[in-house]
Amino acid sequence: MSVERTLHHFPLDPASRQVRLALGEKRLAFADNVVRYWEQPKDFLALNPTGVPPVLVEVQGGQTLVICEVRAILEHLDETVTQPPLLGREPAERAEARRLMQWFDRKFNDEVNAFLLHEKLEKRLLKMGAPDLYSMRQGRDALRAHLSYMEKLLQARDWLAGKRLSYADFAAGANISVLDYFGDIPWRDFPAVKTWYMTMKSRPAFRPILADRWPGLAPAGHYDDLDF
Amino acid sequence: MSVERTLHHFPLDPASRQVRLALGEKRLAFADNVVRYWEQPKDFLALNPTGVPPVLVEVQGGQTLVICEVRAILEHLDETVTQPPLLGREPAERAEARRLMQWFDRKFNDEVNAFLLHEKLEKRLLKMGAPDLYSMRQGRDALRAHLSYMEKLLQARDWLAGKRLSYADFAAGANISVLDYFGDIPWRDFPAVKTWYMTMKSRPAFRPILADRWPGLAPAGHYDDLDF
């Protein structure tokens, strides 16, 4: 019995992008609904009381399953659509993929996005006024530390968590791609990260993400360039 | 081949407590190492570069597996030690358990712990001076909103995520129990939460948690009382 999927997401939200990449990589078609979550729409709050995207709704044989929050959706997709496996096959691979997912969902989010994305994106959406230069600086400094960590990993590994593409690459790719939309990645200083990101960008699952545009916010010139 | 486990944790850390409850409920013996993570010990940073507990180390047949971060550990334990299942059996149960795990790991943590636990515990450990009354008030107000949400769920359900005990109960129990150590749960106003917590407290897996004491920080008088 086929499953009909609808993803409630926001194009420039790193958590939403992780799920779009997972759905794309597993070749699952889905309807999409863009959520203006900062306006706290009632129909969306009824789906997820935290008010945060992404939410995946699956309908199969008259049964509806609502899956809220990025980690729950990613784990669910790997459990129910097993090919290709995106969490890794062995316990050690899975532990490493999940460690890095957490790294981006919490540490990167708290140290980079909470400053840089907050100033450049959220304040704009929420009409909170001009970005604060000191906060942006703080976010950019933290970003360089994270990129250095990725550079070290990617000098020794084919993919972020090891030998195979995994959700860890999507967690990193989703976050990096949103910041790259705003032109904030200093590519020149991180050659291994750049090579990895070129490979990510060229995957078919990445195409819809490179096509994202938000009214009033133009992306950096190289954003959708595969050869940047 | 038997697995030898060591848990690196901090007794009053809600994330660490979730793993102790999971290990206890699955009847897995483990050695424990208390981490003074705020001092950023080098040997612990070598295990987990985020510097955050918990970390579970499993040794089996000469192979060592290091699993960092609470979600990775909980998912791993349910995959490798299947009885009793603690994530739920059906996709809908698992989605609900994981939604609530995320609720506590992010929303509860950001809205309650970042204020209340920061003021009462972290500032003490880090010798950052007296608690700020305004921040504590903000944390307590948020806590009441979270307890109201739990009350609503538990009026309709046997356990937090549905018909069966799950990791969602551990996520809630771990967070609530740390705040209860500091006497911060207004039990009288949340009878369904209180009944649920009495049941949680009486489980054997909860006993070590009720025995936790940290030098210089005495728990509230009723903390380990099953009949509070």
Side-chain angles (χ1 to χ4, degrees):
Chain A
M1 207 152 23
S2 74
V3 182
E4 281 188 26
R5 295 183 173 83
T6 304
L7 181 66
H8 301 264
H9 74 109
F10 175 62
L12 298 178
D13 166 43
S16 297
R17 284 190 167 191
Q18 292 181 54
V19 175
R20 289 163 71 201
L21 289 170
L23 290 164
E25 211 57 57
K26 286 181 182 282
R27 297 167 190 268
L28 301 172
F30 61 99
D32 82 315
N33 174 42
V34 170
V35 183
R36 301 172 69 91
Y37 65 93
W38 59 95
E39 294 172 358
Q40 306 195 289
K42 274 194 185 161
D43 52 348
F44 185 67
L45 281 168
L47 280 179
N48 185 4
T50 65
V52 175
V55 172
L56 181 67
V57 179
E58 292 188 346
V59 179
Q60 184 176 24
Q63 296 272 30
T64 298
L65 176 58
V66 178
I67 312 153
C68 301
E69 309 294 339
V70 57
R71 289 291 293 274
I73 297 171
L74 295 177
E75 294 278 353
H76 168 81
L77 285 175
D78 222 45
E79 280 169 359
T80 54
V81 183
T82 52
Q83 291 308 320
L86 291 172
L87 260 171
R89 293 161 213 207
E90 302 302 321
E93 283 183 289
R94 298 167 78 79
E96 182 63 354
R98 287 185 177 124
R99 177 183 78 82
L100 289 164
M101 290 159 79
Q102 187 70 35
W103 181 288
F104 285 94
D105 286 353
R106 192 187 54 215
K107 190 172 170 67
F108 191 97
N109 189 62
D110 290 358
E111 296 174 1
V112 182
N113 295 346
F115 296 93
L116 212 40
L117 266 195
H118 176 71
E119 294 300 329
K120 289 207 161 182
L121 177 59
E122 285 176 359
K123 277 172 95 167
R124 182 102 178 212
L125 299 172
L126 290 160
K127 303 197 171 74
M128 285 168 72
D132 176 72
L133 296 181
Y134 180 79
S135 286
M136 290 209 292
R137 173 69 178 268
Q138 197 170 341
R140 283 204 186 101
D141 287 348
L143 173 60
R144 291 192 79 88
H146 283 270
L147 290 168
S148 296
Y149 182 63
M150 287 180 67
E151 184 77 10
K152 201 182 68 179
L153 291 180
L154 288 165
Q155 279 169 359
R157 297 172 173 183
D158 295 334
W159 298 97
L160 207 59
K163 275 183 241 159
R164 285 189 270 254
L165 174 78
S166 78
Y167 280 157
D169 298 289
F170 297 177
N175 280 279
I176 297 289
S177 64
V178 173
L179 294 172
D180 195 43
Y181 185 97
F182 293 100
D184 275 316
I185 309 292
W187 290 115
R188 222 182 331 184
D189 301 337
F190 302 97
V193 179
K194 185 175 175 178
T195 303
W196 162 85
Y197 191 60
M198 286 176 81
T199 314
M200 290 297 287
K201 261 183 152 176
S202 67
R203 296 187 79 83
F206 228 87
R207 258 179 234 152
I209 280 173
L210 300 180
D212 283 339
R213 298 293 180 273
W214 192 254
L217 288 174
H222 65 269
Y223 173 68
D224 54 4
D225 193 346
L226 295 185
D227 218 16
F228 55 104
Chain B
M1 209 151 26
S2 76
V3 182
E4 280 189 26
R5 294 184 174 83
T6 304
L7 181 67
H8 301 263
H9 73 111
F10 176 62
L12 298 178
D13 166 43
S16 298
R17 284 190 168 191
Q18 291 181 55
V19 175
R20 290 164 71 202
L21 289 170
L23 290 165
E25 215 47 66
K26 287 181 183 281
R27 297 169 189 267
L28 301 172
F30 61 99
D32 81 316
N33 174 40
V34 170
V35 183
R36 300 171 70 90
Y37 65 94
W38 59 96
E39 295 171 359
Q40 305 194 288
K42 275 192 184 162
D43 53 348
F44 185 65
L45 281 168
L47 280 179
N48 186 5
T50 65
V52 174
V55 172
L56 181 67
V57 179
E58 292 189 345
V59 180
Q60 184 176 27
Q63 297 271 31
T64 298
L65 176 58
V66 178
I67 312 152
C68 300
E69 308 294 339
V70 56
R71 290 290 292 275
I73 298 172
L74 295 177
E75 295 278 353
H76 169 81
L77 286 174
D78 221 46
E79 280 168 0
T80 54
V81 183
T82 51
Q83 293 303 322
L86 291 171
L87 260 170
R89 294 163 212 204
E90 302 301 321
E93 282 183 290
R94 298 166 79 79
E96 181 64 354
R98 287 184 176 125
R99 177 183 78 82
L100 290 163
M101 289 159 81
Q102 187 69 36
W103 180 289
F104 285 95
D105 287 353
R106 192 185 57 215
K107 192 173 169 67
F108 192 96
N109 189 62
D110 290 358
E111 296 174 0
V112 181
N113 294 348
F115 295 94
L116 212 39
L117 266 195
H118 176 71
E119 295 300 329
K120 289 207 161 181
L121 176 59
E122 285 177 359
K123 278 173 95 167
R124 182 102 179 212
L125 299 173
L126 289 161
K127 301 196 172 74
M128 286 169 70
D132 176 73
L133 296 181
Y134 180 78
S135 286
M136 290 209 292
R137 173 67 178 270
Q138 197 170 341
R140 284 204 185 101
D141 287 349
L143 173 60
R144 293 192 77 90
H146 282 271
L147 290 167
S148 296
Y149 182 62
M150 287 181 66
E151 182 77 11
K152 201 181 69 179
L153 291 179
L154 288 165
Q155 278 168 358
R157 298 171 173 185
D158 295 335
W159 299 96
L160 207 57
K163 274 183 238 157
R164 285 189 270 253
L165 174 77
S166 79
Y167 280 156
D169 298 290
F170 296 177
N175 279 280
I176 296 291
S177 65
V178 174
L179 294 173
D180 195 43
Y181 186 97
F182 293 100
D184 274 316
I185 308 291
W187 291 115
R188 222 185 328 186
D189 300 337
F190 302 97
V193 179
K194 184 174 177 179
T195 304
W196 162 85
Y197 191 61
M198 286 177 81
T199 314
M200 290 296 286
K201 261 182 152 176
S202 67
R203 298 186 80 82
F206 227 88
R207 258 179 236 153
I209 280 172
L210 299 180
D212 282 338
R213 297 293 180 273
W214 192 254
L217 288 174
H222 65 270
Y223 173 68
D224 55 4
D225 192 345
L226 296 183
D227 217 16
F228 54 105

